[in-house]
């Protein structure tokens, strides 16, 4: 069994409420607050939680679909969080919607890929489901139908 993996993020105040976050490999992201405290120059910390969840499950799902040799021509994940009205205003409900486009992609392949992400691979999902009710839906679109509609 492998040992623990340690992640380090360095946050540096830029101005106002805007921070620059840098990981150990040098990747950079901007965080900010909404007005009146901030300028909306980046995602808020709570939006980053939703983005992390969406990215975690999306990377799992696309990886699994590619291993199944399915041609995905477009893929998007929409994540919507509902916060409690009282502080600390945690997410109480989160809705995830996967939209997968490609020729001949079976619904069952997408459903199973999402299930594997949620039950086995996505660490963000595993953490957040302990404090929020998470629901997931998906839609499979044919790339032929999308091309014909254009």
């Amino acid at each position: 069994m492998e040992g623990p993996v340690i992640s380090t993020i360095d946050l540096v105040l830029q101005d106002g409420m805007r921070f620059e976050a840098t990981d150990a490999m040098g990747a950079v992201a901007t965080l900010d607050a909404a007005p009146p405290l901030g300028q909306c120059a980046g995602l808020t910390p709570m939006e980053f939680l939703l983005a992390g969840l969406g990215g975690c499950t999306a990377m799992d799902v696309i990886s699994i679909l590619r291993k199944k040799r399915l041609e995905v021509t477009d893929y998007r994940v929409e994540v919507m969080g509902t916060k409690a009205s009282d502080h600390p205003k945690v997410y109480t409900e989160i809705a995830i919607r996967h939209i997968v486009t490609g020729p001949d992609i079976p619904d069952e392949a997408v459903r199973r890929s999402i299930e594997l992400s949620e039950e086995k691979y996505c660490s963000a999902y595993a953490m957040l489901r302990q404090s929020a009710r998470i629901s997931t839906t998906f839609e499979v679109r044919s790339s032929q139908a999308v091309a014909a509609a254009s």
Side-chain angles (χ1 to χ4, degrees):
M1 186 161 203
E2 297 179 26
V5 175
I6 298 171
S7 298
T8 302
I9 301 293
D10 186 38
L11 289 134
V12 178
L13 179 65
Q14 301 300 298
D15 57 59
M17 294 292 284
R18 185 172 58 91
F19 284 81
E20 186 175 89
T22 308
D23 74 2
M25 300 297 289
V28 177
T30 301
L31 292 87
D32 201 358
L37 299 175
Q39 302 297 314
C40 291
L43 298 179
T44 68
M46 290 298 283
E47 289 169 336
F48 261 105
L49 282 175
L50 294 181
L53 172 61
C56 183
T57 189
M59 289 178 192
D60 291 340
V61 170
I62 193 67
S63 175
I64 294 165
L65 292 174
R66 286 175 177 161
K67 285 179 184 170
K68 293 176 186 245
R69 294 182 169 33
L70 294 169
E71 181 187 352
V72 176
T73 57
D74 189 59
Y75 178 35
R76 71 183 290 135
V77 177
E78 299 170 349
V79 185
M80 183 177 70
T82 302
K83 288 184 187 179
S85 55
D86 295 328
H87 287 285
K89 298 187 180 182
V90 299
Y91 288 117
T92 57
E93 294 184 39
I94 299 172
I96 304 170
R97 182 171 180 245
H98 299 260
I99 304 165
V100 181
T101 304
D104 304 315
I105 297 178
D107 284 5
E108 177 58 24
V110 174
R111 184 198 64 73
R112 182 65 181 137
S113 298
I114 293 167
E115 185 178 89
L116 283 168
S117 174
E118 293 178 351
E119 293 177 1
K120 185 172 183 181
Y121 298 116
C122 181
S123 52
Y125 188 96
M127 285 182 61
L128 290 172
R129 75 173 169 215
Q130 294 181 39
S131 61
R133 189 172 33 250
I134 304 176
S135 62
T136 303
T137 58
F138 71 90
E139 177 183 349
V140 177
R141 297 177 180 171
S142 169
S143 56
Q144 289 92 0
V146 171
S150 300

